Amino acid sequence: MGRIVYCDYSATTYVKKEVLDEMLPYFTMNFGNASAIYSLGRTSKTAIENARKKVAESLKCNTNEVYFTSSGSESDNMALLGIARANKNKGKHIITSKIEHLAILNTCKELEKEGFEVTYLDVDKNGIIDINQLLNVIRSDTILISVMMANNEVGVIEPIYDIGNIAKQHGIVFHTDAVQAIGHMEIDVNKLNVDALSLSAHKFFGPKGIGGVYIRKNINFDPVILGGHQEHCKRAGTENVAGIVGLGKAIEIANNNIYEHNKKVSYLRDILKNNITQNISDVVINADIEKKLPGNINLSIKGVDAKTLLLMLDMEGICASSGSACNSQVENPSHVLSAMGISTEMALSTIRITLGEANNLQDIDYISNVLINAVNRIRR
Ligand SMILES: *Cc1c(COP(=O)(O)O)cnc(C)c1O
């Protein structure tokens, strides 16, 4: 295989060596069931509780407010289904935004089938919700607001602090999908008035197939995965001990490196952005660079089919994506770009480059040159 330049960090990341090293003994030597009474089981139990402590320290919550799940998707399902169903006697209205991940939007559709009513907030051209619209749509029967911390496609950061305040004033539970935010943003669930939050290890250099959800202590929620008594009877299933250990180590590292990471990645991002805007005509960088995650460049290139361009980049070893990874087999324009008012034509000419910590200046040169040449060839 030739050169590979990975610039799709919002889709997933590799597992860091320090993370893998901590996980390995839990596949082999320390394989005990965490529910068992003997010491081999207690070793697993201790490892899980250590990881839980690391998550709690990263989010500034209590350890008994953290639950492990199988993914960010499951965390979103668990938070929304669990909280909505347990609180339906108080009301059946939910507020979310039009640019959420499908793990939220499809869960909302499910709740609509169960008789809940969902309001989907609009976003402006930068992908940001309107706080006034939020205030206007709140009703006496609104029980839950779910707005993501940072968007996976365009990287925009939502006004979580303001939303949290409003939710608190109205006595509404506030959930945020923070899957993209971990490792890029400092999070303090109390300062932000966040009542529930989803995260996923493979977005911050941990393994795939392991997630976590924070749910504030006094909030009622019904379990979604039913069975044994694991996770305080809130999420059944024998714990993925190695995965949980990996998640704990990964969130600890990510949280200790936010400043350095953001500084490096935004430096590279700015150079790439300048190379693109100076050398490619009729290109639009979507969502205000100042209001988004540091590694994200989402660009629409007029007259260039995104799929063709991505295949040409792939031939040169560059891993980038269109909109979101989950949509890459589908020819529909991204729901996020549509909500931002971007035309179908431009949306289908949009690619997402998300830089991360293994990228360097040579990568930026390489990506710039390959991208400029590919666009010129397509347009010719
Ligand atoms: C990746 C992602 C998810 C889903 O997480 P998985 O662990 O892949 O299921 C949910 N929300 C956002 C914002 C994401 O980026």
Side-chain angles (χ1 to χ4, degrees):
M1 208 154 44
R3 178 173 186 168
I4 292 283
V5 173
Y6 189 76
C7 49
D8 200 16
Y9 282 82
S10 281
T12 194
T13 62
Y14 51 87
V15 176
K16 281 191 180 168
K17 174 139 195 334
E18 310 94 284
V19 173
L20 179 65
D21 286 346
E22 290 224 355
M23 293 172 66
L24 286 174
Y26 295 94
F27 287 108
T28 51
M29 275 169 3
N30 301 336
F31 64 89
N33 188 314
S35 302
I37 195 141
Y38 39 78
S39 75
L40 192 65
R42 291 201 306 273
T43 301
S44 295
K45 180 80 184 152
T46 304
I48 291 170
E49 295 318 313
N50 280 338
R52 205 185 306 280
K53 206 188 282 173
K54 289 176 180 176
V55 175
E57 280 165 7
S58 298
L59 304 177
K60 313 275 191 296
C61 65
N62 298 319
T63 50
N64 61 0
E65 296 173 313
V66 174
Y67 306 89
F68 293 110
T69 68
S70 70
S71 59
S73 297
E74 188 192 322
S75 297
D76 284 341
N77 276 253
M78 178 167 157
L80 265 56
L81 295 175
I83 293 169
R85 288 171 180 166
N87 291 283
K88 64 171 184 259
N89 58 325
K90 294 182 196 152
K92 298 191 95 177
H93 181 232
I94 296 166
I95 300 171
T96 187
S97 83
K98 289 184 178 170
I99 63 159
E100 297 298 310
H101 191 275
L102 291 180
I104 295 289
L105 293 177
N106 285 335
T107 303
C108 284
K109 278 193 199 152
E110 187 61 30
L111 286 167
E112 285 173 337
K113 283 192 220 155
E114 293 180 17
F116 289 88
E117 221 182 302
V118 183
T119 300
Y120 299 86
L121 298 173
D122 299 318
V123 295
D124 66 12
K125 69 180 196 321
N126 286 314
I128 299 173
I129 67 143
D130 178 354
I131 288 291
N132 289 322
Q133 187 189 20
L134 171 64
L135 283 168
N136 284 334
V137 301
I138 286 175
R139 316 189 315 209
S140 57
D141 63 339
T142 306
I143 53 166
L144 177 62
I145 298 173
S146 180
V147 175
M148 68 202 319
M149 198 164 281
N151 179 266
N152 44 305
E153 291 189 35
V154 296
V156 61
I157 294 167
E158 297 298 332
I160 295 304
Y161 180 79
D162 297 337
I163 302 169
N165 267 335
I166 291 168
K168 189 179 184 185
Q169 281 160 21
H170 290 82
I172 302 167
V173 177
F174 175 37
H175 166 262
T176 188
D177 176 338
V179 172
Q180 290 289 336
I182 306 283
H184 305 289
M185 296 169 68
E186 299 258 6
I187 297 174
D188 180 327
V189 292
N190 292 313
K191 279 191 191 151
L192 294 172
N193 288 312
V194 166
D195 301 307
L197 176 150
S198 305
L199 54 90
S200 176
H202 76 97
K203 303 288 174 74
F204 51 87
F205 305 95
K208 294 170 182 54
I210 184 77
V213 61
Y214 149 80
I215 302 182
R216 194 181 288 280
K217 220 177 7 240
N218 54 352
I219 287 173
N220 289 333
F221 70 100
D222 291 344
V224 174
I225 306 286
L226 306 171
H229 299 159
Q230 294 90 354
E231 299 294 291
H232 308 296
C233 299
K234 296 297 192 187
R235 197 277 184 182
T238 301
E239 299 88 342
N240 173 359
V241 183
I244 290 170
V245 167
L247 186 153
K249 183 68 180 172
I251 201 167
E252 179 180 56
I253 297 173
N255 219 44
N256 287 335
N257 287 299
I258 292 175
Y259 177 76
E260 291 300 317
H261 172 272
N262 287 357
K263 197 171 131 186
K264 178 186 169 179
V265 168
S266 58
Y267 168 73
L268 295 175
R269 189 263 331 266
D270 289 343
I271 298 173
L272 179 59
K273 179 185 155 247
N274 288 340
N275 289 348
I276 291 169
T277 50
Q278 284 165 15
N279 292 286
I280 301 177
S281 59
D282 292 318
V283 57
V284 182
I285 308 283
N286 298 311
D288 189 341
I289 285 283
E290 302 300 324
K291 292 176 182 148
K292 63 155 82 181
L293 295 174
N296 180 294
I297 300 186
N298 184 290
L299 61 155
S300 305
I301 311 170
K302 199 168 185 198
V304 173
D305 174 54
K307 213 165 164 190
T308 308
L309 178 58
L310 289 172
L311 289 173
M312 287 172 75
L313 296 181
D314 177 48
M315 284 195 288
E316 303 300 328
I318 295 175
C319 312
S321 80
S322 67
S324 73
C326 322
N327 285 337
S328 62
Q329 305 303 318
V330 186
E331 289 289 346
N332 294 324
S334 131
H335 67 281
V336 176
L337 299 175
S338 298
M340 288 165 61
I342 293 167
S343 69
T344 300
E345 185 206 342
M346 280 304 255
L348 294 175
S349 298
T350 298
I351 67 166
R352 176 187 76 178
I353 294 171
T354 44
L355 302 172
E357 64 170 41
N359 291 128
N360 54 32
L361 281 171
Q362 289 93 294
D363 290 350
I364 300 303
D365 270 352
Y366 185 71
I367 298 167
S368 306
N369 290 335
V370 171
L371 184 64
I372 293 162
N373 286 334
V375 168
N376 286 340
R377 268 168 58 201
I378 295 173
R379 280 180 171 167
R380 227 180 272 131

